[in-house]
Amino acid sequence: MLERHELEAFLTLGDELHFGRTAELLGVSTGRISQTIKKLERRVGTPLFVRTSRSVRLTPVGARLHEELRPAHRRILAALEQATAAGRGMLGTLRVGFASPWGGALLTAAADAFLARHPGCEITLREIPLDAGTRPVEDGELDLQYATFPVAVPGLTTGPVLIREDRVLLVPAGHALARRPSVGLEDLAGQTLVTSGADHPRAWREAHYPTRTPSGAPVGHGPSAATWEELLSLVAAGRGVSPGAARGARYHPRPGIAYVPFHDAPPLEYGLVWPTAAESALVRAFVETAVGVPAGSGTAPGPR
């Protein structure tokens, strides 16, 4: 039977054709590699390498054996990796949701990085309606969801902040506020807000679509939108204004909409949420990977 150290020594020497480099790669002495190969050749009954003072090359028998053993060795290593991953809970599929392409961009980058580290896993990315809130992850349709904070829903765990983004106010191009260099939260007094739907906790709605300004002046609420295209169309048509994120101007430049910065609103914060009861090593690993993804990989132009 071929022992593992013999297999690795033979395959590595067959790749490198240099005893010194082979020994260095395997972390043993050159003499140990030479002894291992000689022992293997005695077992096979024929030389596997031709050695001279200047070169090392495979014999025809050695070349054929190397060619046949290499794919088998790869399968053995892959099986060991999968067994190790399974033991650590690192096998399976994660369903991850987002409400817009820019959120999807960040998750795609995170999925690519995650799968490079855990090739035995699968990531399914799914776009969800803008007005769905966190219902898909609450109902078990998703394992993780990219959401806008704050999320304070019983049974959901909130991960670390992945992105912070300055807020802007989306207004029709002909609106009086469109000509301002910036706006404040008090400028929402008397305005009608186009919102992203009612299927959100009250605290979330107040954080993104307040009903009153900080001084207590009322803020009107008008139509709601299920998608970003609906929201943008409603604003452009003069049906109201809508708070959003600064990069919206890059994702959705429209002649009929102006993006006016807020000078006193706190930044928007985005991250992942998941069912507390279903937390796993796989979920934790994906969250850790997402934390390491550069913020420029995807940011959202509004409160979703």
Side-chain angles (χ1 to χ4, degrees):
M1 173 181 261
L2 193 63
E3 296 182 9
R4 181 174 176 176
H5 75 277
E6 293 175 324
L7 176 63
E8 291 179 345
F10 170 69
L11 290 174
T12 305
L13 184 59
D15 292 337
E16 299 295 326
L17 299 178
H18 191 282
F19 279 87
R21 286 197 298 272
T22 298
E24 183 178 353
L25 286 170
L26 297 180
V28 298
S29 67
T30 303
R32 175 71 181 275
I33 296 298
S34 180
Q35 292 171 5
T36 300
I37 296 301
K38 287 178 181 178
K39 180 180 176 181
L40 182 59
E41 289 177 325
R42 286 195 297 271
R43 184 181 303 174
V44 174
T46 188
L48 300 174
F49 294 91
V50 176
R51 309 153 175 89
T52 70
S53 59
R54 294 186 176 183
S55 68
V56 177
R57 71 178 187 274
L58 286 160
T59 65
V61 173
R64 185 166 60 252
L65 182 62
H66 187 275
E67 181 180 352
E68 292 177 353
L69 286 178
R70 172 56 76 192
H73 184 244
R74 289 197 185 100
R75 288 194 295 271
I76 291 171
L77 292 179
L80 287 172
E81 288 179 2
Q82 288 190 356
T84 302
R88 295 175 179 172
M90 296 305 295
L91 282 178
T93 299
L94 280 179
R95 302 161 300 166
V96 189
F98 60 94
S100 55
W102 40 89
L106 182 140
L107 293 180
T108 298
D112 289 344
F114 181 85
L115 293 175
R117 299 173 192 172
H118 308 291
C121 300
E122 183 178 346
I123 305 295
T124 300
L125 299 181
R126 175 186 159 195
E127 186 175 4
I128 59 176
L130 182 64
D131 62 349
T134 54
R135 187 179 65 250
V137 75
E138 292 177 65
D139 293 346
E141 298 174 19
L142 299 172
D143 301 301
L144 293 130
Q145 185 174 328
Y146 179 80
T148 312
F149 296 162
V151 175
V153 177
L156 291 186
T157 294
T158 300
V161 173
L162 299 180
I163 291 173
R164 287 184 175 86
E165 184 70 23
D166 291 337
R167 299 196 195 208
V168 297
L169 187 64
L170 284 68
V171 302
H175 196 283
L177 295 178
R179 297 186 292 274
R180 299 266 295 273
S182 67
V183 294
L185 292 172
E186 289 298 331
D187 291 314
L188 295 179
Q191 301 293 335
T192 298
L193 299 187
V194 177
T195 70
S196 62
D199 200 3
H200 299 279
R202 182 173 181 176
W204 190 96
R205 295 199 306 271
E206 283 294 329
H208 298 287
Y209 303 108
T211 55
R212 292 189 177 276
T213 69
S215 69
V219 180
H221 280 203
S224 63
T227 68
W228 277 110
E229 286 303 315
E230 286 182 17
L231 189 147
L232 294 167
S233 296
L234 288 167
V235 172
R239 300 287 298 279
V241 302
S242 187
R247 295 200 186 188
R250 291 167 55 184
Y251 282 105
H252 289 293
R254 284 202 179 188
I257 295 179
Y259 293 79
V260 187
F262 276 101
H263 56 252
D264 60 354
L268 293 167
E269 295 182 334
Y270 304 86
L272 290 167
V273 299
W274 60 91
T276 304
E279 183 173 313
S280 64
L282 203 60
V283 167
R284 290 191 296 270
F286 186 84
V287 174
E288 290 172 5
T289 301
V291 169
V293 172
S297 298
T299 50
R304 282 289 303 158

